[in-house]
Structure formats: structure tokens, C-alpha cells
Amino acid sequence: MPIDEEGMAKLAIMIAANNPTGIVSYDDLRQRVPNMVALDAADLTPSQARNGEPMWHQIFRNIKSHSDTPGNAIYDGRLLHVPDVGYKLTTHGRNWLAANS
């Protein structure tokens, strides 16, 4: 089953929680996610909209794209978007992780 946005947000929160700055960069996600979960064929399918990058990259960008949707990690206050960098973990996000680990 392909990774979904909520699963990707949880991975972003987990990575950010282990960084002293509380920030997870897009590069961190690209490097670390494949070592944290088994990506399936759908995740690895080249995106036609994004110059052939794997579809799972689009999923971590969708966290920002869907930030006005209830249930989204930014909408719910677990993450903040850091333009051109990635995401920053909030106190609420840290508490959420402790309750959902």
C-alpha cells in the first residue's frame, strides 16, 4: 500500500523530533524515509508532473499543499511550513507524537 500523507507527516514529525532544531528538511525526508518504511511500486512510480521524481516525494510536499484541510498536520498544528526548507515540529506535534508512537 502506498504511503499516504498522514503516514508521511508522522515520519516528518519523527525525524524533526530527533533534530535539535525541530526541523525536518526536504533533503532529510528524501534521505531518511526510504530507510524508515518500505516504499512500494506505487510510491516509486515516476511522477509525470514532477520531472520523473518518485511519487512519494509529492506526498511530503502535499503536507504543505493541503495545509488548509482538516486532518492535515499543518492545519492541525503539528507542523509548521518552513519555506524552501521543510517543516518545523510544534509543541503540539511533539505531544501528538508521544501519544501516537
Side-chain angles (χ1 to χ4, degrees):
M1 174 188 281
I3 191 163
D4 63 8
E5 188 175 323
E6 180 60 22
M8 184 65 73
K10 186 172 184 177
L11 294 173
I13 289 168
M14 291 168 61
I15 296 168
N18 288 305
N19 284 341
T21 62
I23 292 175
V24 57
S25 71
Y26 299 128
D27 286 340
D28 289 337
L29 289 165
R30 285 184 195 96
Q31 292 173 9
R32 303 223 18 225
V33 167
N35 298 319
M36 296 173 76
V37 296
L39 299 169
D40 70 11
D43 294 318
L44 299 172
T45 299
S47 169
Q48 294 182 10
R50 288 290 193 158
N51 298 323
E53 73 181 15
M55 288 301 295
W56 70 270
H57 288 192
Q58 183 172 335
I59 302 302
F60 67 72
R61 282 193 308 278
N62 283 350
I63 297 168
K64 168 57 177 137
S65 297
H66 300 155
S67 63
D68 59 351
T69 304
N72 171 279
I74 295 173
Y75 183 94
D76 291 349
R78 292 176 276 151
L79 291 171
L80 298 172
H81 180 244
V82 181
D84 300 321
V85 175
Y87 302 106
K88 181 170 179 60
L89 182 62
T90 65
T91 300
H92 175 66
R94 198 172 291 279
N95 294 337
W96 178 90
L97 181 61
N100 291 280
S101 291

